[in-house]
Amino acid sequence: SYAKGHADPSEFRKLVAHAGVNVCLVRRANRDGHSMRSFEIPAVGGCMVVEDTPEHREIFGPEDRAVRYFATTEELVDKSRVLLRNEEQQRRLAVAVGEHIRTGKNTYGDRLASVLISTQN
C-alpha cells in the first residue's frame, strides 16, 4: 500500500528533496559499501540516514557532519524519528551533504577517475 510505482527524474528530485529523511541502503549480497543513491540523494537536496559502512564513512566523514549513520533497524528508526521532528537539522544535513559531494571529490566523474587510476597501478 506504500508503493507508488516509478517516478520520472523530475518527480524523483521533488520527492527526495521534500522528504524529511531519505534512507540509503547498500546491497550486502553484492558487498557494496555505497550505492548510486549515496550520491543521487545529496545531489538533489535530500537529508540522509545512511547504512554505516566503511565506504560511506570514507565518503561522508564523521557522524552528523553531513549524514547520520545506522547499523541496526532500531538505530535507523531512532535517528529517523529525531530528524523528522527537527526540520532545521534536516535542512542543515541536506545542505552539508550536497556541498560535500559537489566539492569533496565525490562526483561520479571523480569516482570513475579513482577507479581508472587504481586499475592502472
Side-chain angles (χ1 to χ4, degrees):
S1 64
Y2 295 101
K4 303 297 181 195
H6 293 281
D8 64 38
S10 176
E11 186 68 13
F12 173 78
R13 285 192 303 272
K14 290 177 194 172
L15 292 169
V16 168
H18 290 96
V21 173
N22 292 274
V23 177
C24 187
L25 303 170
V26 298
R27 291 186 180 106
R28 295 246 176 234
N30 293 348
R31 297 184 305 274
D32 291 342
H34 73 282
S35 69
M36 289 174 48
R37 296 287 188 260
S38 303
F39 300 101
E40 293 168 346
I41 293 168
V44 297
C47 170
M48 295 198 312
V49 177
V50 302
E51 198 161 354
D52 195 351
T53 68
E55 282 184 44
H56 272 155
R57 290 214 177 241
E58 179 185 334
I59 294 165
F60 299 118
E63 170 105 58
D64 211 37
R65 179 170 62 184
V67 300
R68 301 231 171 122
Y69 296 101
F70 73 93
T72 66
T73 303
E74 292 77 20
E75 283 183 334
L76 170 61
V77 170
D78 291 344
K79 291 180 181 195
S80 296
R81 281 186 177 148
V82 168
L83 280 171
L84 288 170
R85 289 191 293 260
N86 191 327
E87 289 184 27
E88 181 180 319
Q89 285 296 311
Q90 292 170 33
R91 282 191 298 277
R92 182 187 68 76
L93 289 170
V95 168
V97 75
E99 289 175 2
H100 179 72
I101 65 147
R102 283 188 287 279
T103 61
K105 297 279 184 194
N106 284 304
T107 66
Y108 280 141
D110 295 326
R111 302 296 284 184
L112 177 60
S114 73
V115 169
L116 293 174
I117 290 169
S118 68
T119 60
Q120 294 172 356
N121 294 334

